[in-house]
Structure formats: structure tokens, C-alpha cells
Amino acid sequence: MSQVEKKAGLLRRTSSSKKPLKEKVVLMYDEIFAKEDPAKNNPRFWDELFLMKVNLEYLESKLESVDGEEVQRIQDNINSLFHHCVQALGEEHQIKVVNALQTLCALFRGVHQKNKSASGFDIINMLMGFDKAEQRMKDLMERLDSLLCGDGSESLKSLCLKLLLCLVTVTDNISQNTILEYVMINSIFEAILQILSDVSSRGQHGYDAVVLLALLVNYRKYEVCTYTVIELLGCFLSQGMGMVVHQALTEYNRQYKDKEEENQGGFFSTLTSMVGSMFIADADEKLSVQTNEAILLALYEAVHLNRNFITVLAQSHPEIDIAATPITPTPTTPTTPLGTTPPSLDMMSNPELPLDPNLQTSNLLITFLKYASIVMQDTKDEHRLNSARLCLIILTCIAEDQYADAFLHDDNMNFRVNLHRMEINVYLMVEFIVTHMMKDFPMDLYLRCVQIIHKLLCYQKKCRIRLHYTWRELWSALINLLKFLLSNETTLLAKHNIFHLALLVVNLFNMFITYGDTFLPTSNSYDELYYEIVRMHQVFDNLYCMVLRVSTNTGQWKEAASKVTHALVNVRAIINHFNPKIESYAATNHISQLSEEQVRSISLNVRKNVSLNTLSQDVLLKEFSTIS
């Protein structure tokens, strides 16, 4: 018997030269794309169509191939197809419902692909007829709502969410997707909230529901009606949403840990240690795990839109051993929004277990910080750079919230954090500063990084919290950053305003110099600060020379450079007072190079005589508020 090959709706006998045969469903699609009403000679046409397996590839390609004149000719048939798809969603026969949902996906995608340059109104007219669009979309949303909230199969509910995700993501700019106006009017937020509130439903559909919510909230973000905003805020305050985000990030952290452990052992590790850095690039690639921007977007919107979500961030629950749970394959989807992969269903369905005092606990905030520490290690490609950018934006929102700051600075915080320091937020920022001084300098990320440090210092100053952190690591990182800006002045100035970043860095030193007594852990910390400034005085001297040169010449950066000149007053006062004393002590005692202890001893004696310019916190806050 000859082998039968199926491709794009064609049935072809490979051993025969006869004309290929078409599937019946493909023949029916061809009838829809003809001028005549397909039901004219066959009253049961639509009933028969939805009993047949959908050929998505053929239907989409057919829609994309229709030219301008043909659109007008077959518009009534396309409108009729859309209408009967919506009607089929109310059928008791599940096969019809499934086929109708898949056909709608093909319609939305195919029409938008063909008409990327067309207006939203033209697309609406082609799909459902502009005069009937409001009723058609009302019927569609009601049927989807009924399916999502009903007792039907989980696979049908999954397909409903996939259809909505397909509808939301057919345009590059979500605010240009005019059809979403009808989605917002005929709200489905209660259905989403119901999914997130139920443990079983959240395990099956929580990921898609959260991604859908994160996308919908960005539709004409600052123009939606008050009622819609209230509904959105309710969804974003959901503990269920927090669980979905937490578990998605937890799985990413687990995957990275597994890759790391795999990379540390075995033959590959032995070879790497033998030949040095030859295989470093391969190692980095091996450790790479796909990031999840969709979940980060959802977390950002939750924290940004509703600051009460901070309580969800800090909600503690047990750390589940996800690695021990079997991975269930995710169902095939008509579309994959933002190129992300949802976490395993078994992990998502874990209920909120009672806390065991002997069990390690975690929360969304700690899990996110772990995630951010991984993502920010490598920003070489645009995808990971955008992920790091989202992480820093979220960290900025968290640092601006006093409840979150109180949690982060709580000495009684009893969470296991797989980082090298408990001062995780500051540590993350220091790590980022020292590891991203590269040719393609990520200026906006550095600005946000310095802003986060500043916000944390302001909170510590206000609440007189003396964090037991090795601040010297931060000071050293900031000075090295200034050194990098100086060394690459010409290259960087062609793209960035480096004086803005330099000003923020210098003002961080001003915070320590002026207000350090309110948050530095010991009096010796001041000695360490002064020592670090004096030890690296050449960097500050060079910075002053550069900004003085630029500020005294006419040019684009004159004003920006002059601000740095003024901000350096405190640092230069310290250097100008200490250096002569140190040189005099060295000459008197015939010492070519003083030890750190000797320098700190000198600084202790003369520090009281240093005249400093005490900048008000309002001035410092103003300088940092210019970062968007």
C-alpha cells in the first residue's frame, strides 16, 4: 500500500502522479473564500465544518494571501465564519467548541498578519462587520466567560485562555489593537480572579491568566475607565497571583541551580580547570536558562499599580522541593506570548501548605531577589538586557515602599537566601556595578542601580538603621565606576551623558559623608570611608579636572559638568585636608608608604577639623528624582 503524505491540507499518494486530493475541511475553507454563500447549497455547512479537525496552517495562509479586491468580495463569508464560530462556543458538543476556538485563533492571526498596515476599524470590519462588531464581541466574551467559570473540561478552559492570549498579542503595540476595546468593555476580570483564587484552577491555568492580565493592563494604560482600574487592582492584589509569579520564578531559579550543579561536575568541569579559560564561553552558554519577561511584567504591574501588593510579596510559605515533582508537558498552544514558557503544572497546583517550623520558608520577594541575582549576571544579549532592566525597575518600586524596606532591613528576617550576603539588595547592586563596565555600556541600568542604592540609604538614614554590611565594597565599586567613566570619556560621551551618572555617584559619597553617622554601623566606618577616598584620591582629582575642563568651555555638557564640580566640594575638602597631613607624617617618620592603620590613625586626629559642605537631603533627593 502506498504511503500517504499530508501537507497543508493536501492528501498525496507519493507513488502516483495523479493530482493531489484535498482534505474535506480544506475544500470547505475554499468554499468560504469563494464569492457565494457556502451555506446556500448546503444548509448544514456550518454544523459539518465544526465537526472537522481544524487545519490552522491552511486557514491562516489563505487569509494572508487574500488581496484587497478579494477582501471586499469574501467579507460577508468571513463575517459569517466569525459569527458561526461564536455560536458554536455555546454547543454541548465539545468537539465543536474546540474547533470553533481554534478557528477563531486562526481568524485573528490571519487577518492581522494580512492587514498589518490597515487601521483597526478595517480589521474589525473584515472579521465581523463594523455595524455588528459590538454585539459579536459581546457574545464572544460572554461565551468565553461562561466556559472559564463553568464546570467544563480543563482543556476547554485552557483553549479559552489561549484564544484570549492570541487576541491580545496579534499586534506589536497592544494599544493599537482596537478589538481589545470590546474586551475591556465586556470584562472578563472576574473570571480571571476566580481562576487565581482556586488552588486547582490556578494550578491548571494560573500562568496563562497572569500573563493575560499583565498584557491587558497595558492596553491604553493611562486611559482606561475608573471601573476597569478597580477591577484590575483587585486582580493584582490576589494572593493567587502572587503564588503563580512566585512559583514561576522559583522554577527558573531551580533550573539555573541544576544547570550550575551539572556544570560544576563531570568531564566538562575537569577540562575547564585543565585549560583555563578556553571553555568559559561554553560554560556561560551551558548555564543560560530562558528568562521569563511575561512573569516579570506581571510582577511589575502588580507592585506598580497596587502598593498593597507588597504584603503579598512578603507573605511567607514553605519552600517546596520542586525538583522532586515530575514535569508535566504543557499543552500545545495556538500562540506563545512574549516567547515565554510556563512552569510545570504540577508545581503550579501545589496548595498553600501549613507552615512547619522545621521547614525552610521563603516568599515572593526573596525568590525575586534570587531571580534578579541570576539574570543580572549576564546582559550581553538584548533579551537578557531587557530582563535585567525589568528587574531593576521592580527593585526601584520595592525600594520606594516603606513596608518593603522595613522587611528588607529586618534583623529577624528568617528566610534562606542563596546569596553571599544577607544585605541582598545592596549586594545585588554592587555586583551589577562591578560586572557591567563594558563597551556597550548599559547607562539606563546603571542609573537605576545607583537610584536604588540611594533610596535604601535614605530609608536607613530616616529610620537610623545601622546595616552590618561591608560598605567598603560599595565605595570601591563606585570609585571604580568613576574610573571607568574617566577612561572611556570620549567613547561614552558620544552616546551618553556620563556627567549625570557621575553626579549621582558623587552624591552617594555625599550621603555617606554628611549623614553617615545616622546609618553607618560603627565609628570606624567613617575612618574606612575617609581612607578609601584618600587612597583613591587620584580618581576624584582626575574627575574634577575633567568636569572643570568641560564646564569652563562652551558645549553640550557644560551645565551637567558644572553640577559635578559643585558636588565634589566635600570629597575634595577631605582629600585636601588629609593628603598634606599624610605626606608630612611620612616625611617626618621617613616612611615611603604608610599602612592603612597609620592612615586611619591620622584621619582620626584630623577629621574633626575638616570643613564640609552639608548638603540637605532635599538637594540629594532632587538630584536623584531626575531618573525616570
Side-chain angles (χ1 to χ4, degrees):
M1 183 180 292
S2 60
Q3 184 181 8
V4 178
E5 179 184 42
K6 181 177 179 181
K7 184 176 181 181
L10 302 181
L11 295 177
R12 182 194 308 272
R13 293 186 181 277
T14 57
S15 62
S16 172
S17 59
K18 292 182 179 180
K19 185 177 181 179
L21 301 175
K22 290 185 176 181
E23 295 178 84
K24 185 174 180 181
V25 70
V26 169
L27 292 171
M28 297 183 80
Y29 290 155
D30 288 342
E31 289 186 58
I32 294 172
F33 284 88
K35 186 176 181 180
E36 296 293 328
D37 179 0
K40 184 177 181 180
N41 298 319
N42 180 8
R44 292 186 52 79
F45 178 87
W46 299 111
D47 288 331
E48 293 175 5
L49 177 67
F50 294 113
L51 285 171
M52 297 180 185
K53 185 178 179 180
V54 179
N55 190 319
L56 290 170
E57 182 183 355
Y58 186 85
L59 182 55
E60 284 186 45
S61 63
K62 197 75 175 176
L63 286 164
E64 292 177 30
S65 65
V66 177
D67 61 29
E69 292 183 2
E70 285 182 300
V71 169
Q72 298 297 323
R73 179 169 56 82
I74 65 169
Q75 181 175 314
D76 288 343
N77 287 354
I78 301 297
N79 291 171
S80 186
L81 175 58
F82 187 94
H83 171 60
H84 283 92
C85 282
V86 175
Q87 284 192 321
L89 296 182
E91 294 276 356
E92 294 184 4
H93 203 310
Q94 285 204 358
I95 292 296
K96 287 188 175 182
V97 180
V98 169
N99 289 332
L101 287 168
Q102 292 182 334
T103 303
L104 283 168
C105 283
L107 274 173
F108 284 126
R109 279 208 303 259
V111 170
H112 278 87
Q113 281 296 114
K114 172 62 183 175
N115 299 276
K116 284 186 175 181
S117 60
S119 70
F121 299 114
D122 291 335
I123 290 174
I124 290 171
N125 198 39
M126 182 178 177
L127 275 172
M128 59 197 92
F130 195 72
D131 57 332
K132 299 176 182 177
E134 187 172 343
Q135 186 60 47
R136 294 281 188 268
M137 287 301 298
K138 182 176 184 294
D139 293 341
L140 173 61
M141 299 310 295
E142 286 177 353
R143 297 281 167 84
L144 292 176
D145 184 81
S146 178
L147 289 169
L148 287 170
C149 297
D151 298 325
S153 69
E154 299 301 326
S155 60
L156 272 183
K157 293 181 180 181
S158 179
L159 273 176
C160 289
L161 289 169
K162 302 304 181 187
L163 171 61
L164 288 166
L165 286 169
C166 174
L167 174 57
V168 170
T169 56
V170 287
T171 57
D172 294 334
N173 184 339
I174 194 170
S175 294
Q176 293 176 354
N177 189 345
T178 314
I179 296 178
L180 291 187
E181 194 68 35
Y182 300 107
V183 176
M184 303 301 281
I185 292 172
N186 301 284
S187 171
I188 57 161
F189 296 123
E190 288 186 13
I192 295 176
L193 193 56
Q194 181 174 316
I195 289 171
L196 295 176
S197 301
D198 180 75
V199 174
S200 176
S201 182
R202 183 171 67 239
Q204 293 286 334
H205 315 295
Y207 182 87
D208 284 343
V210 166
V211 173
L212 177 62
L213 193 61
L215 293 170
L216 284 175
V217 77
N218 281 280
Y219 173 70
R220 295 173 57 186
K221 191 170 185 177
Y222 302 103
E223 303 173 34
V224 293
C225 66
T226 304
Y227 179 67
T228 304
V229 170
I230 292 173
E231 289 185 296
L232 286 169
L233 293 182
C235 291
F236 276 119
L237 189 54
S238 164
Q239 177 66 28
M241 179 183 176
M243 287 291 293
V244 172
V245 176
H246 174 264
Q247 289 162 345
L249 297 181
T250 297
E251 183 169 5
Y252 175 93
N253 296 344
R254 177 191 63 79
Q255 290 176 358
Y256 183 85
K257 182 181 178 183
D258 290 346
K259 288 260 188 182
E260 193 175 39
E261 290 176 352
E262 176 187 338
N263 199 45
Q264 286 174 352
F267 182 67
F268 179 83
S269 180
T270 305
L271 278 179
T272 303
S273 62
M274 288 173 59
V275 298
S277 62
M278 182 182 296
F279 294 112
I280 291 298
D282 293 335
D284 290 341
E285 183 179 351
K286 199 176 178 87
L287 283 175
S288 179
V289 180
Q290 184 181 4
T291 53
N292 197 325
E293 282 71 39
I295 283 295
L296 285 182
L297 178 64
L299 178 57
Y300 164 71
E301 296 295 354
V303 174
H304 174 66
L305 284 176
N306 193 338
R307 288 305 170 87
N308 290 327
F309 190 78
I310 294 295
T311 59
V312 177
L313 280 177
Q315 182 70 37
S316 61
H317 43 76
E319 278 196 343
I320 302 165
D321 186 8
I322 304 167
T325 61
I327 302 297
T328 303
T330 55
T332 54
T333 66
T335 184
T336 308
L338 304 184
T340 59
T341 304
S344 64
L345 296 180
D346 284 342
M347 183 193 70
M348 296 288 288
S349 60
N350 278 311
E352 295 91 322
L353 301 174
L355 288 178
D356 183 340
N358 299 317
L359 187 65
Q360 289 286 357
T361 58
S362 183
N363 64 13
L364 176 53
L365 180 55
I366 297 302
T367 301
F368 167 69
L369 290 171
K370 293 180 186 177
Y371 178 92
S373 71
I374 296 170
V375 169
M376 292 194 297
Q377 288 177 18
D378 176 19
T379 59
K380 291 178 183 176
D381 62 78
E382 187 176 359
H383 186 74
R384 296 183 71 84
L385 181 67
N386 288 332
S387 193
R389 182 176 289 110
L390 260 175
C391 286
L392 285 170
I393 292 172
I394 294 168
L395 283 169
T396 300
C397 292
I398 292 172
E400 289 174 344
D401 187 274
Q402 291 197 15
Y403 181 85
D405 284 332
F407 175 80
L408 285 171
H409 291 88
D410 186 0
D411 288 335
N412 298 314
M413 181 175 67
N414 189 27
F415 293 102
R416 182 179 63 194
V417 184
N418 294 327
L419 297 173
H420 301 299
R421 311 281 196 281
M422 283 303 294
E423 300 81 1
I424 42 186
N425 234 334
V426 177
Y427 173 74
L428 283 179
M429 299 305 100
V430 171
E431 281 294 292
F432 181 85
I433 290 172
V434 299
T435 57
H436 290 78
M437 300 178 201
M438 49 190 167
K439 183 178 179 181
D440 295 326
F441 189 68
M443 174 63 78
D444 64 322
L445 270 60
Y446 268 93
L447 291 173
R448 292 192 180 280
C449 182
V450 175
Q451 181 191 37
I452 291 168
I453 296 171
H454 175 260
K455 291 180 184 299
L456 293 173
L457 292 181
C458 285
Y459 179 82
Q460 291 165 24
K461 171 191 174 295
K462 177 182 177 182
C463 300
R464 294 184 174 272
I465 295 174
R466 300 185 186 280
L467 192 67
H468 292 282
Y469 173 71
T470 310
W471 290 109
R472 194 169 183 172
E473 293 182 2
L474 172 61
W475 301 330
S476 177
L478 293 174
I479 292 172
N480 283 326
L481 175 57
L482 292 177
K483 189 176 181 180
F484 175 82
L485 296 179
L486 288 166
S487 301
N488 298 273
E489 174 191 352
T490 305
T491 304
L492 292 176
L493 274 178
K495 298 179 180 179
H496 310 291
N497 178 4
I498 63 172
F499 301 106
H500 187 189
L501 179 58
L503 176 64
L504 300 182
V505 171
V506 172
N507 275 341
L508 278 181
F509 279 100
N510 284 330
M511 283 284 292
F512 281 102
I513 294 168
T514 309
Y515 303 115
D517 61 317
T518 62
F519 60 83
L520 286 174
T522 65
S523 58
N524 288 337
S525 299
Y526 252 125
D527 296 332
E528 292 177 353
L529 170 64
Y530 279 45
Y531 172 78
E532 200 65 23
I533 291 173
V534 173
R535 184 177 72 89
M536 300 299 292
H537 72 90
Q538 194 64 52
V539 175
F540 293 105
D541 290 342
N542 291 342
L543 176 63
Y544 180 76
C545 290
M546 181 187 75
V547 295
L548 187 63
R549 166 173 50 82
V550 176
S551 63
T552 53
N553 296 325
T554 57
Q556 180 183 0
W557 309 114
K558 178 180 174 68
E559 183 178 352
S562 64
K563 290 182 179 179
V564 183
T565 305
H566 174 70
L568 280 167
V569 169
N570 282 341
V571 173
R572 283 177 53 74
I574 292 172
I575 294 170
N576 292 336
H577 277 75
F578 278 71
N579 266 355
K581 299 290 183 181
I582 292 171
E583 291 170 2
S584 174
Y585 181 90
T588 302
N589 294 276
H590 306 289
I591 302 174
S592 59
Q593 186 173 354
L594 274 66
S595 66
E596 179 178 346
E597 290 72 21
Q598 289 171 320
V599 173
R600 288 175 62 179
S601 175
I602 297 170
S603 71
L604 184 63
N605 293 328
V606 300
R607 178 151 45 90
K608 296 179 181 179
N609 298 320
V610 178
S611 176
L612 298 177
N613 173 32
T614 304
L615 298 176
S616 70
Q617 187 171 355
D618 291 339
V619 172
L620 294 173
L621 285 170
K622 182 179 179 182
E623 295 294 347
F624 281 83
S625 66
T626 56
I627 306 176
S628 59

